[in-house]
Amino acid sequence: RLEELNRDLMQLTTNVEHGWDTEEERVSFEEMAKAIGERFLSLESFINIQYTALYKILKKHDKYLPATPIYQFYRKRMYQQHWVQGDYSRMFVKLSAIHSTLRGDKAGVQ
């Protein structure tokens, strides 16, 4: 799903860079940008909930079965996953730039 979001963001970036002819087209681009942001936040929330659930399960396992601890092993594996290590700030910067362009902001432009 993250690849799909990235692909949609790249397509929207290209569309916005080429400009728009009508106000309806601009509004459509704005709605697409909002939808991409909402989908990203929804995915992030889902990942955080799953991560928390797995963390709690592993901790309880080690608490009730101390002879066979597994928390440390799986914690290292979780931290190695791309969705944990990923830096998604670029997506937010692109979305911010798109919103700024669509609003016609001139901040930061010299």
Side-chain angles (χ1 to χ4, degrees):
R1 290 183 51 169
L2 192 57
E3 292 82 17
E4 181 182 319
L5 281 172
N6 220 357
R7 185 185 67 242
D8 292 348
L9 182 58
M10 297 307 283
Q11 180 64 44
L12 181 60
T13 301
T14 301
N15 291 342
V16 170
E17 286 173 352
H18 286 112
W20 52 92
D21 297 324
T22 64
E23 179 64 16
E24 291 82 21
E25 201 172 13
R26 187 196 66 77
V27 169
S28 173
F29 290 158
E30 197 169 68
E31 289 171 359
M32 286 182 214
K34 287 179 185 176
I36 290 170
E38 289 170 2
R39 285 171 39 212
F40 181 81
L41 291 175
S42 175
L43 180 60
E44 181 185 40
S45 175
F46 175 79
I47 289 171
N48 287 337
I49 290 169
Q50 299 305 311
Y51 178 86
T52 301
L54 184 57
Y55 169 81
K56 289 181 177 188
I57 290 168
L58 294 173
K59 291 294 278 186
K60 282 193 188 275
H61 175 277
D62 286 1
K63 179 180 177 182
Y64 292 111
L65 298 169
T68 56
I70 61 172
Y71 170 73
Q72 290 297 326
F73 172 76
Y74 283 106
R75 191 181 108 209
K76 287 179 185 176
R77 299 217 39 212
M78 279 193 309
Y79 287 146
Q80 293 171 350
Q81 299 301 310
H82 73 278
W83 48 267
V84 173
Q85 291 184 348
D87 178 14
Y88 304 110
S89 61
R90 280 182 262 135
M91 288 185 82
F92 285 112
V93 169
K94 285 181 185 178
L95 274 173
S96 177
I98 287 170
H99 282 292
S100 185
T101 300
L102 292 171
R103 283 190 309 264
D105 290 350
K106 303 293 184 207
V109 177
Q110 293 183 1

